[in-house]
Amino acid sequence: MKIWWLGPLIRVISALALPLLVPAIITTVIWSLPGDPASIICPPEICSGTEVLAKNWNLDQGPVHFFTTWVGNFLQGDMGDSWRYLQGVPVTELIVEAIPNTLILLFASIVPLTIASVLGLTQWISKKFDGFLVAFGVLPCLVLGLVFAAIIKIQLGAAAFDDEAYWYRIIAGALTLGLTDGVLSGAIIGFRDIMSNEEKERYAQISILRGETPFENAFINVVNTLSGQYRGRILQLLSSLVIVEVLLEIDGVGMLLWGGTLNQDFGLVLGATTIFALISSSMLLFQALIEVVVAIQIRKAPALLLEASSQELL
């Protein structure tokens, strides 16, 4: 007998572990580089007081102490200070200012993804258009992002960073994320194939004899699969978000991550990557919740059907 709660439990455990795993990997990378971490970031030949900086950055007592201290502070809302990007400025302050832009961009890009998913789920777009969809999906976000960035700067000029231009960049970023790298085509084709294959099952075909549609019977059985694919598409958007924020100069967490990486500001990189990990964790938890709700609904369905049948007999 299949243990229905095993999948959701694994997702919950993964969601809780991910925000710890990401800083652990970053910490490992810092200490895997040849030489002392503080000396790499601030070489003694060009910097003075490297030992003092190492103490300030908590790099003087090894990776385990650094990791455990950082996680402890993070759980209290403190992600330390920026090392080089904006030296001395609290990372939490930078993240708080940047995360609204990132979330707005992410949710805006989910709109075309959701539309594509619904089109695929309802099988509104025929398979004869698959060739066009696949060809269109080959377009990389880097290319479309550069095109939009050029159009905005050419059309708006000096006003490219005004409040009105902000929404132009958000919309351009959302379209770039939602239409490129196979996100749109993958959602349409993937959702349609899952649904059409399930509707061919015997139980779905028999439902026609009861005056029902194959869709309403098949949907509940593929919700978990669809939610998993939907989460995967959102993760795909998230992975390209840094590129789009940099190209369109949107001051989000992706831009901070880019700036921290270029400046070897691992304090900022730790904070930014952990925020992305938390976003991924929230999606895992949401998928686990959907799986639990579906499992409960499926187990309640026979009783509900029996009750409905009894009322019809009366």
Side-chain angles (χ1 to χ4, degrees):
M1 181 178 179
K2 184 178 179 181
I3 305 176
W4 68 269
W5 48 263
L6 185 59
L9 178 62
I10 291 174
R11 298 194 198 287
V12 170
I13 294 173
S14 300
L16 296 176
L18 189 58
L20 299 176
L21 180 62
V22 168
I25 293 174
I26 300 297
T27 301
T28 302
V29 170
I30 295 174
W31 262 267
S32 297
L33 298 173
D36 176 65
S39 298
I40 294 173
I41 300 168
C42 186
E45 58 270 19
I46 62 173
C47 289
S48 60
T50 302
E51 294 182 358
V52 176
L53 291 175
K55 187 174 182 179
N56 290 337
W57 294 337
N58 197 28
L59 296 171
D60 58 336
Q61 299 185 52
V64 175
H65 181 268
F66 174 84
F67 172 73
T68 55
T69 301
W70 191 89
V71 170
N73 292 334
F74 173 76
L75 293 176
Q76 300 177 48
D78 180 11
M79 289 185 267
D81 296 336
S82 172
W83 298 357
R84 297 181 64 179
Y85 181 74
L86 287 174
Q87 194 169 23
V89 178
V91 173
T92 303
E93 180 181 316
L94 296 174
I95 294 292
V96 168
E97 292 179 358
I99 198 168
N101 294 330
T102 293
L103 293 178
I104 290 172
L105 175 59
L106 180 61
F107 286 125
S109 63
I110 287 176
V111 172
L113 170 62
T114 302
I115 294 173
S117 301
V118 172
L119 291 176
L121 187 64
T122 57
Q123 303 178 54
W124 191 79
I125 296 182
S126 171
K127 286 187 176 182
K128 64 183 180 181
F129 295 106
D130 284 1
F132 171 77
L133 289 172
V134 172
F136 182 78
V138 173
L139 181 66
C141 73
L142 179 64
V143 173
L144 190 58
L146 286 170
V147 170
F148 277 132
I151 291 174
I152 289 173
K153 288 191 174 181
I154 292 172
Q155 293 296 323
L156 300 180
F161 296 97
D162 290 347
D163 291 340
E164 183 179 354
Y166 169 82
W167 290 107
Y168 284 124
R169 291 192 310 240
I170 290 292
I171 293 171
L175 291 175
T176 300
L177 289 170
L179 300 181
T180 59
D181 292 332
V183 173
L184 182 75
S185 58
I188 293 175
I189 296 173
F191 273 59
R192 187 191 61 213
D193 289 349
I194 290 173
M195 199 65 201
S196 63
N197 290 336
E198 190 68 22
E199 287 181 346
K200 293 176 184 177
E201 295 292 330
R202 185 183 177 191
Y203 77 89
Q205 294 298 311
I206 291 177
S207 67
I208 299 176
L209 302 177
R210 298 196 300 266
E212 302 170 353
T213 64
F215 180 89
E216 62 184 302
N217 282 273
F219 180 72
I220 190 67
N221 290 313
V222 296
V223 167
N224 291 342
T225 303
L226 294 174
S227 65
Q229 182 167 139
Y230 190 70
R231 180 178 66 85
R233 299 295 175 189
I234 295 177
L235 288 177
Q236 185 178 352
L237 297 177
L238 202 60
S239 64
S240 301
L241 189 138
V242 176
I243 297 174
V244 171
E245 285 191 355
V246 172
L247 290 176
L248 294 170
E249 299 179 81
I250 299 172
D251 294 326
V253 180
M255 181 74 87
L256 289 179
L257 178 58
W258 176 256
T261 303
L262 290 181
N263 289 276
Q264 292 184 312
D265 188 340
F266 292 107
L268 183 56
V269 170
L270 272 168
T273 52
T274 303
I275 292 301
F276 281 121
L278 286 173
I279 295 174
S280 299
S281 294
S282 65
M283 289 188 289
L284 275 170
L285 290 174
F286 184 69
Q287 185 179 354
L289 177 62
I290 290 177
E291 290 175 347
V292 170
V293 171
V294 169
I296 293 173
Q297 186 64 28
I298 289 176
R299 279 155 180 74
K300 287 172 58 179
L304 294 174
L305 289 175
L306 182 59
E307 181 181 351
S309 299
S310 300
Q311 290 177 351
E312 288 179 2
L313 289 174
L314 294 175

